[in-house]
Amino acid sequence: MSTIEAYAAHKPGGSFEPFEYDAGSLGPDDIEIKVESCGICHSDLSMVDNEWQMTEYPFVGGHEVIGRVAAVGDHVPSLNEGDLVGLGWTSRSCMHCDRCIAGDHNLCVSAQGTITHQHGGFADKVRCHWGWATKIPDGVDAASAGPLLCGGLTVFNPLVQFELSPTARVGVVGIGGLGHMAIQFCNAWGCEVTAISRSRSKESEARQLGAHEFLATNEEGSLEKVAGKFDLILNTTDAELPWDAYIAALAPRGALHTVGAAPSITATVFPMIMGQKSFSSSPTGSIATTRTMLDFVARHKISPMTEVFPMSDINEAFTKLREGSPRFRLVLVR
Ligand SMILES: NC(=O)c1ccc[n+]([C@@H]2O[C@H](COP(=O)([O-])OP(=O)(O)OC[C@H]3O[C@@H](n4cnc5c(N)ncnc54)[C@H](OP(=O)(O)O)[C@@H]3O)[C@@H](O)[C@H]2O)c1
Ligand SMILES: [Zn+2]
Ligand SMILES: [Zn+2]
């Protein structure tokens, strides 16, 4: 018997209540992490609400975990009790398919999620395969690092996938949890960064985070003014956007890349053909990219901007996320 004390929602849109479960014996390749903090990603909210029709209740969210290794399985080669680690969206992958062998563990077809195939990090402890727990290197502020493990990785990964040039002009759409980290990454990468938000209310913060330009989409003609400008537009919103206007804002060979879980995309193909433009998306990032991102974070002294709540105030924190008012990532601490 190995009891974990968590917070679970019991129905779509339900509030979190204390919930205890027996995690059973620890698998030989698994570790158990004593949770110190856990960020709240918008995906946790989408999962509570069963927006993606895949939530199982009782639902324990939480996939931006920072904590200490509390137990290691018999076959764990590289982690010891007491190590400071982070865990993100993925908790397991098969480690032997072509994708895993190529280093693209996040594309493994049998990958398992921290909050989709097991109970997550809104708890005192959480488990994962040793490979998906990444040591937090010196130079990364552990207290604010949780959001890097899902949100940060998700927006860092496209820069790696596209081998983005440091001379690129990048537009970041949506200045929330993911977007505010994307601005910092793209600035440190060397790019010219435009923050694209629904109004000017986040302008001063976006500029402090490293945005060189700011565009408010509620201003008439704002997108038309940047036609042909961007080599990469990184969409972090889950909204139906005026996709054709964003494609028009791309430079030739530019890519409109969405990591935000927009429900659908409708776009006119001909302008994409003429400008050799593309539309793409990606899930979080691999184990290797997680390590690279954390090195980059330490080197450039990047830090998510967080608002901290005790984990016992999880429902207050979720209310704040539903209202869309976090600046910029909410983190629960134990
Ligand atoms: N691909 C992946 O692997 C992956 C990983 C993590 C998260 N996600 C997804 O990424 C998305 C963002 O997550 P997050 O945690 O960053 O969320 P968040 O903190 O709530 O931020 C989302 C931002 O989108 C903008 N926005 C909200 N409603 C909008 C609307 N109706 N129209 C246009 N813009 C709107 C807002 O920015 P402004 O106020 O600046 O407009 C908001 O701050 C979610 O869909 C999440 O599920 C995907
Ligand atoms: Zn997430
Ligand atoms: Zn695999």
Side-chain angles (χ1 to χ4, degrees):
M1 179 95 174
S2 175
T3 304
I4 294 187
E5 314 263 345
Y7 291 91
H10 293 266
K11 59 176 187 199
S15 58
F16 286 92
E17 291 161 23
F19 168 71
E20 243 182 46
Y21 69 96
D22 179 7
S25 55
L26 192 64
D29 291 314
D30 280 8
I31 64 156
E32 187 165 273
I33 302 169
K34 186 170 185 296
V35 177
E36 291 183 356
S37 69
C38 190
I40 307 179
C41 177
H42 201 105
S43 302
D44 290 308
L45 185 57
S46 296
M47 284 292 291
V48 179
D49 292 349
N50 196 20
E51 249 175 57
W52 303 326
Q53 309 299 313
M54 60 194 256
T55 309
E56 285 181 21
Y57 299 90
F59 168 70
V60 180
H63 60 278
E64 292 186 337
V65 175
I66 298 291
R68 299 259 169 203
V69 177
V72 294
D74 292 342
H75 298 170
V76 173
S78 62
L79 290 169
N80 297 302
E81 276 181 41
D83 285 346
L84 184 68
V85 294
L87 169 67
W89 175 263
T90 311
S91 57
R92 277 156 234 289
S93 52
C94 79
M95 301 292 182
H96 58 76
C97 70
D98 290 348
R99 298 311 345 139
C100 284
I101 293 297
D104 293 324
H105 298 85
N106 56 321
L107 303 181
C108 173
V109 289
S110 44
Q112 297 187 7
T114 303
I115 63 168
T116 52
H117 295 75
Q118 61 170 61
H119 292 317
F122 299 154
D124 63 346
K125 286 171 276 174
V126 64
R127 291 182 177 181
C128 67
H129 185 282
W130 62 265
W132 281 98
T134 308
K135 275 193 195 175
I136 303 300
D138 290 345
V140 173
D141 171 40
S144 60
L148 295 166
L149 274 297
C150 175
L153 177 62
T154 299
V155 293
F156 184 79
N157 184 42
L159 314 190
V160 175
Q161 298 301 321
F162 283 101
E163 297 181 0
L164 190 69
S165 164
T167 59
R169 292 192 170 87
V170 181
V172 175
V173 187
I175 313 308
L178 268 59
H180 94 283
M181 291 186 267
I183 291 173
Q184 296 185 69
F185 285 140
C186 293
N187 178 295
W189 201 270
C191 302
E192 183 191 276
V193 190
T194 302
I196 304 176
S197 191
R198 287 166 297 171
S199 75
R200 292 215 168 255
S201 67
K202 297 176 180 169
E203 179 166 5
S204 66
E205 288 144 309
R207 288 189 187 274
Q208 276 166 31
L209 290 161
H212 303 96
E213 305 285 342
F214 191 92
L215 188 155
T217 54
N218 64 350
E219 291 172 5
E220 187 74 30
S222 54
L223 275 174
E224 288 72 12
K225 280 186 200 143
V226 291
K229 174 167 177 158
F230 299 111
D231 301 296
L232 174 68
I233 296 177
L234 189 53
N235 172 45
T236 74
T237 78
D238 64 354
E240 287 278 357
L241 296 181
W243 301 111
D244 281 343
Y246 279 101
I247 286 166
L250 291 171
R253 289 207 173 84
L256 173 52
H257 190 79
T258 185
V259 291
S264 65
I265 293 155
T266 313
T268 312
V269 172
F270 199 68
M272 296 173 72
I273 292 175
M274 295 311 286
Q276 201 179 313
K277 298 176 180 181
S278 60
F279 204 122
S280 54
S281 64
S282 56
T284 61
S286 69
I287 295 170
T289 306
T290 308
R291 294 183 183 186
T292 306
M293 172 194 66
L294 290 171
D295 276 354
F296 187 83
V297 161
R299 191 182 311 156
H300 293 283
K301 300 187 175 31
I302 288 167
S303 187
M305 203 184 270
T306 61
E307 284 186 60
V308 176
F309 286 72
M311 199 171 279
S312 53
D313 289 347
I314 182 169
N315 290 313
E316 285 76 2
F318 267 81
T319 301
K320 185 152 199 181
L321 183 58
R322 274 188 198 284
E323 288 167 354
S325 58
R327 288 294 202 274
F328 282 93
R329 192 55 131 194
L330 305 176
V331 174
L332 302 175
V333 291
R334 292 203 62 87

